[in-house]
Amino acid sequence: MTNRRQSSLESAQILLVEDNPGDVRLTEEAFKQAQIENDLHVVPDGTEALDFCYQRNEHEHAPRPDLILLDLNLPQKSGEAVLQELKTDPDLRSIPIIVLTSSRAEADVLRSYELHANAYLTKPVDPDEFIETVHAFERFWFSAVRLPHNGEYS
């Protein structure tokens, strides 16, 4: 098992689960500015996030995400419900899930960690600060952290 970001040319598969078009645009902009190879996939609600992860419906050929950025306040199925389902699935629970939300409520932070979120980031209101938060997240998760390779775990 190797750190695929440092040892291969393969792009990181990142799933962004976000219903706010402005936040999607800012996240896409931040990822475009980054020097780390990534494929950013975007879905607007919790139901579609699960379809993507389970490769069903129109996401039948979706790649397995290397990392998921998950908003909590989503239509159809909440981010909390998505987090709970993915972290209880033996085949998907090892995918790092970063809660990226506007909520600063201590109850949301606590509940996210109880459901085994790997990190909880609060979205800054200022667009430049938002982009810097995404850059900091990228530097940490794709430079410092060792991620599993293609869903293979030992």
Side-chain angles (χ1 to χ4, degrees), residues 2-127:
T2 60
N3 185 329
R4 61 196 275 183
R5 252 39 80 213
Q6 293 175 354
S7 64
S8 77
L9 299 176
E10 189 173 340
S11 294
Q13 301 298 317
I14 302 168
L15 177 59
L16 173 62
V17 187
E18 175 60 67
D19 64 321
N20 181 319
D23 289 347
V24 169
R25 185 180 42 75
L26 284 172
T27 304
E28 289 173 336
E29 183 180 323
F31 276 98
K32 283 179 189 172
Q33 293 175 6
Q35 296 180 3
I36 297 165
E37 286 296 315
N38 66 73
D39 291 325
L40 183 64
H41 307 274
V42 180
V43 295
D45 61 64
T47 301
E48 201 169 334
L50 293 173
D51 285 350
F52 189 99
C53 292
Y54 287 110
Q55 298 176 314
R56 59 188 181 206
N57 299 324
E58 73 250 25
H59 298 289
E60 182 180 338
H61 300 290
R64 177 188 171 93
D66 293 309
L67 190 132
I68 298 171
L69 292 172
L70 179 66
D71 190 10
L72 290 181
N73 303 311
L74 297 168
Q76 295 191 30
K77 186 175 281 256
S78 72
E80 183 178 301
V82 171
L83 179 60
Q84 183 169 19
E85 185 167 336
L86 293 177
K87 288 300 185 177
T88 57
D89 184 303
D91 294 326
L92 299 174
R93 69 176 160 219
S94 60
I95 298 172
I97 299 177
I98 312 313
V99 173
L100 181 61
T101 186
S102 56
S103 173
R104 295 183 179 275
E106 189 62 30
D108 288 341
V109 175
L110 181 59
R111 182 71 179 141
S112 294
Y113 283 116
E114 286 174 347
L115 293 172
H116 305 288
N118 297 86
Y120 189 102
L121 298 174
T122 302
K123 296 176 194 172
V125 176
D126 179 81

